[in-house]
CSV table of all heavy atoms in Angstrom, one decimal:
chain,number,residue,atom,x,y,z
A,1,ALA,N,-3.6,2.8,18.0
A,1,ALA,CA,-3.3,3.0,16.6
A,1,ALA,C,-2.2,4.0,16.4
A,1,ALA,O,-1.4,3.8,15.5
A,1,ALA,CB,-4.6,3.6,15.9
A,2,ASP,N,-2.1,5.0,17.2
A,2,ASP,CA,-1.0,6.0,17.1
A,2,ASP,C,0.4,5.3,17.2
A,2,ASP,O,1.3,5.5,16.4
A,2,ASP,CB,-1.1,7.1,18.1
A,2,ASP,CG,-2.2,8.1,17.8
A,2,ASP,OD1,-2.4,8.4,16.6
A,2,ASP,OD2,-2.9,8.4,18.7
A,3,SER,N,0.5,4.4,18.2
A,3,SER,CA,1.7,3.6,18.3
A,3,SER,C,2.0,2.7,17.2
A,3,SER,O,3.1,2.6,16.7
A,3,SER,CB,1.7,2.8,19.6
A,3,SER,OG,1.5,3.6,20.7
A,4,PHE,N,0.9,2.1,16.7
A,4,PHE,CA,1.1,1.2,15.5
A,4,PHE,C,1.6,2.0,14.3
A,4,PHE,O,2.5,1.6,13.6
A,4,PHE,CB,-0.3,0.6,15.2
A,4,PHE,CG,-0.3,-0.2,13.9
A,4,PHE,CD1,0.2,-1.5,13.9
A,4,PHE,CD2,-0.7,0.3,12.7
A,4,PHE,CE1,0.3,-2.3,12.8
A,4,PHE,CE2,-0.6,-0.4,11.5
A,4,PHE,CZ,-0.1,-1.7,11.6
A,5,ILE,N,1.0,3.1,14.0
A,5,ILE,CA,1.4,4.0,12.9
A,5,ILE,C,2.8,4.5,13.0
A,5,ILE,O,3.6,4.4,12.1
A,5,ILE,CB,0.4,5.2,12.7
A,5,ILE,CG1,-1.0,4.6,12.2
A,5,ILE,CG2,0.9,6.2,11.7
A,5,ILE,CD1,-2.1,5.6,12.3
A,6,ALA,N,3.2,4.9,14.2
A,6,ALA,CA,4.6,5.3,14.5
A,6,ALA,C,5.6,4.3,14.2
A,6,ALA,O,6.7,4.5,13.7
A,6,ALA,CB,4.7,5.9,15.9
A,7,ALA,N,5.2,3.0,14.5
A,7,ALA,CA,6.1,1.9,14.4
A,7,ALA,C,6.2,1.3,13.0
A,7,ALA,O,7.0,0.5,12.6
A,7,ALA,CB,5.8,0.8,15.3
A,8,ASN,N,5.2,1.8,12.1
A,8,ASN,CA,5.1,1.3,10.8
A,8,ASN,C,5.0,2.4,9.8
A,8,ASN,O,4.0,2.5,9.0
A,8,ASN,CB,3.8,0.4,10.7
A,8,ASN,CG,4.0,-0.9,11.5
A,8,ASN,OD1,4.7,-1.8,11.1
A,8,ASN,ND2,3.4,-0.9,12.7
A,9,PRO,N,5.9,3.3,9.7
A,9,PRO,CA,5.8,4.4,8.8
A,9,PRO,C,5.8,4.1,7.3
A,9,PRO,O,5.3,4.9,6.5
A,9,PRO,CB,7.1,5.3,9.2
A,9,PRO,CG,8.1,4.3,9.7
A,9,PRO,CD,7.2,3.3,10.4
A,10,ASP,N,6.3,2.9,7.0
A,10,ASP,CA,6.2,2.5,5.6
A,10,ASP,C,4.8,2.4,5.1
A,10,ASP,O,4.5,2.5,3.8
A,10,ASP,CB,7.0,1.2,5.3
A,10,ASP,CG,6.4,0.0,6.1
A,10,ASP,OD1,6.2,0.1,7.3
A,10,ASP,OD2,6.0,-1.0,5.4
A,11,LEU,N,3.9,2.1,5.9
A,11,LEU,CA,2.4,2.0,5.5
A,11,LEU,C,1.9,3.4,5.1
A,11,LEU,O,0.9,3.5,4.3
A,11,LEU,CB,1.6,1.5,6.7
A,11,LEU,CG,1.8,0.1,7.1
A,11,LEU,CD1,1.0,-0.3,8.3
A,11,LEU,CD2,1.6,-0.9,5.9
A,12,LEU,N,2.6,4.5,5.5
A,12,LEU,CA,2.1,5.8,5.1
A,12,LEU,C,2.6,6.2,3.7
A,12,LEU,O,2.1,7.1,3.1
A,12,LEU,CB,2.6,6.9,6.1
A,12,LEU,CG,2.1,6.7,7.5
A,12,LEU,CD1,2.7,7.7,8.5
A,12,LEU,CD2,0.6,6.8,7.5
A,13,THR,N,3.6,5.4,3.2
A,13,THR,CA,4.2,5.8,1.9
A,13,THR,C,3.5,5.0,0.7
A,13,THR,O,3.8,5.4,-0.4
A,13,THR,CB,5.7,5.4,1.9
A,13,THR,OG1,5.8,4.0,1.9
A,13,THR,CG2,6.4,6.1,3.0
A,14,GLY,N,2.8,4.0,1.0
A,14,GLY,CA,2.2,3.3,0.0
A,14,GLY,C,3.1,2.2,-0.6
A,14,GLY,O,2.9,1.6,-1.7
A,15,ALA,N,4.2,2.0,0.1
A,15,ALA,CA,5.2,1.0,-0.3
A,15,ALA,C,4.6,-0.4,-0.6
A,15,ALA,O,5.2,-1.1,-1.4
A,15,ALA,CB,6.4,0.9,0.7
A,16,ILE,N,3.6,-0.7,0.1
A,16,ILE,CA,3.0,-2.0,-0.1
A,16,ILE,C,2.5,-2.2,-1.5
A,16,ILE,O,2.5,-3.4,-2.0
A,16,ILE,CB,1.7,-2.1,0.9
A,16,ILE,CG1,1.2,-3.6,1.0
A,16,ILE,CG2,0.6,-1.2,0.5
A,16,ILE,CD1,0.2,-3.8,2.1
A,17,LEU,N,2.3,-1.2,-2.2
A,17,LEU,CA,1.8,-1.3,-3.6
A,17,LEU,C,3.0,-1.7,-4.6
A,17,LEU,O,2.7,-2.1,-5.7
A,17,LEU,CB,1.2,0.0,-4.1
A,17,LEU,CG,-0.1,0.4,-3.3
A,17,LEU,CD1,-0.7,1.7,-3.8
A,17,LEU,CD2,-1.1,-0.7,-3.3
A,18,LYS,N,4.2,-1.8,-4.1
A,18,LYS,CA,5.3,-2.2,-4.9
A,18,LYS,C,5.2,-3.7,-5.1
A,18,LYS,O,6.0,-4.3,-5.9
A,18,LYS,CB,6.7,-1.9,-4.2
A,18,LYS,CG,6.9,-0.4,-4.2
A,18,LYS,CD,8.3,-0.1,-3.5
A,18,LYS,CE,8.5,1.4,-3.6
A,18,LYS,NZ,9.8,1.8,-2.9
A,19,ARG,N,4.3,-4.4,-4.5
A,19,ARG,CA,4.1,-5.8,-4.7
A,19,ARG,C,3.2,-6.1,-5.9
A,19,ARG,O,2.9,-7.2,-6.2
A,19,ARG,CB,3.4,-6.4,-3.5
A,19,ARG,CG,4.3,-6.3,-2.2
A,19,ARG,CD,3.6,-7.0,-1.1
A,19,ARG,NE,4.4,-6.6,0.1
A,19,ARG,CZ,3.9,-6.8,1.4
A,19,ARG,NH1,2.7,-7.2,1.5
A,19,ARG,NH2,4.6,-6.4,2.4
A,20,TYR,N,2.8,-5.0,-6.5
A,20,TYR,CA,1.9,-5.1,-7.7
A,20,TYR,C,2.7,-4.5,-8.9
A,20,TYR,O,3.3,-3.5,-8.8
A,20,TYR,CB,0.6,-4.3,-7.5
A,20,TYR,CG,-0.3,-4.8,-6.4
A,20,TYR,CD1,-0.1,-4.5,-5.1
A,20,TYR,CD2,-1.3,-5.8,-6.7
A,20,TYR,CE1,-0.9,-5.0,-4.1
A,20,TYR,CE2,-2.1,-6.3,-5.8
A,20,TYR,CZ,-1.9,-5.9,-4.4
A,20,TYR,OH,-2.7,-6.4,-3.5
A,21,SER,N,2.5,-5.2,-10.1
A,21,SER,CA,3.2,-4.7,-11.3
A,21,SER,C,2.6,-3.3,-11.6
A,21,SER,O,1.5,-2.9,-11.1
A,21,SER,CB,3.0,-5.6,-12.4
A,21,SER,OG,1.7,-5.9,-12.7
A,22,ASN,N,3.3,-2.5,-12.4
A,22,ASN,CA,3.0,-1.2,-12.7
A,22,ASN,C,1.5,-1.0,-13.1
A,22,ASN,O,1.1,-1.5,-14.1
A,22,ASN,CB,3.9,-0.6,-13.8
A,22,ASN,CG,3.8,0.9,-13.9
A,22,ASN,OD1,3.4,1.6,-13.0
A,22,ASN,ND2,4.1,1.4,-15.0
A,23,GLY,N,0.7,-0.3,-12.3
A,23,GLY,CA,-0.6,0.0,-12.7
A,23,GLY,C,-1.7,-1.0,-12.3
A,23,GLY,O,-2.9,-0.7,-12.3
A,24,ARG,N,-1.2,-2.2,-12.0
A,24,ARG,CA,-2.2,-3.3,-11.7
A,24,ARG,C,-3.2,-3.0,-10.5
A,24,ARG,O,-4.3,-3.3,-10.7
A,24,ARG,CB,-1.4,-4.6,-11.3
A,24,ARG,CG,-2.3,-5.8,-10.9
A,24,ARG,CD,-1.4,-7.0,-10.7
A,24,ARG,NE,-2.1,-8.0,-9.9
A,24,ARG,CZ,-2.9,-8.9,-10.5
A,24,ARG,NH1,-3.1,-8.9,-11.8
A,24,ARG,NH2,-3.4,-9.9,-9.7
A,25,ALA,N,-2.7,-2.3,-9.5
A,25,ALA,CA,-3.6,-2.1,-8.3
A,25,ALA,C,-4.5,-0.9,-8.5
A,25,ALA,O,-5.4,-0.7,-7.6
A,25,ALA,CB,-2.7,-1.9,-7.1
A,26,VAL,N,-4.4,-0.2,-9.6
A,26,VAL,CA,-5.2,1.0,-9.7
A,26,VAL,C,-6.1,1.0,-11.0
A,26,VAL,O,-6.7,2.0,-11.4
A,26,VAL,CB,-4.4,2.3,-9.7
A,26,VAL,CG1,-3.7,2.5,-8.4
A,26,VAL,CG2,-3.3,2.3,-10.8
A,27,THR,N,-6.3,-0.2,-11.6
A,27,THR,CA,-7.2,-0.3,-12.7
A,27,THR,C,-8.6,-0.3,-12.3
A,27,THR,O,-8.9,-0.4,-11.1
A,27,THR,CB,-6.9,-1.6,-13.5
A,27,THR,OG1,-7.3,-2.7,-12.6
A,27,THR,CG2,-5.5,-1.8,-13.9
A,28,ALA,N,-9.5,-0.1,-13.2
A,28,ALA,CA,-10.9,-0.1,-12.9
A,28,ALA,C,-11.3,-1.4,-12.3
A,28,ALA,O,-12.1,-1.4,-11.4
A,28,ALA,CB,-11.8,0.3,-14.2
A,29,GLN,N,-10.8,-2.5,-12.9
A,29,GLN,CA,-11.1,-3.8,-12.3
A,29,GLN,C,-10.6,-4.0,-10.9
A,29,GLN,O,-11.3,-4.6,-10.1
A,29,GLN,CB,-10.6,-4.9,-13.3
A,29,GLN,CG,-11.0,-6.3,-12.9
A,29,GLN,CD,-10.5,-7.3,-13.9
A,29,GLN,OE1,-9.5,-7.1,-14.6
A,29,GLN,NE2,-11.2,-8.4,-14.0
A,30,ALA,N,-9.4,-3.4,-10.6
A,30,ALA,CA,-8.8,-3.6,-9.3
A,30,ALA,C,-9.6,-2.8,-8.3
A,30,ALA,O,-9.6,-3.1,-7.1
A,30,ALA,CB,-7.4,-3.1,-9.3
A,31,ARG,N,-10.3,-1.8,-8.7
A,31,ARG,CA,-11.2,-1.0,-7.8
A,31,ARG,C,-12.4,-1.8,-7.4
A,31,ARG,O,-12.9,-1.7,-6.3
A,31,ARG,CB,-11.6,0.3,-8.5
A,31,ARG,CG,-10.5,1.3,-8.6
A,31,ARG,CD,-11.0,2.6,-9.3
A,31,ARG,NE,-10.0,3.5,-9.6
A,31,ARG,CZ,-9.3,4.2,-8.8
A,31,ARG,NH1,-9.6,4.1,-7.5
A,31,ARG,NH2,-8.3,5.0,-9.2
């Protein structure tokens, strides 16, 4: 896991959430 995380630092930034329109991923329904 440490090697995986080191090779994928973008996962630590939450950049993956840029694939969702503003606020979509954090609504009550999305939870």
Side-chain angles (χ1 to χ4, degrees):
D2 289 317
S3 298
F4 175 82
I5 292 167
N8 294 282
D10 63 305
L11 293 176
L12 298 175
T13 68
I16 192 171
L17 299 179
K18 290 181 181 178
R19 297 179 191 165
Y20 294 86
S21 56
N22 192 25
R24 176 177 164 84
V26 295
T27 64
Q29 190 178 22
R31 291 180 186 285

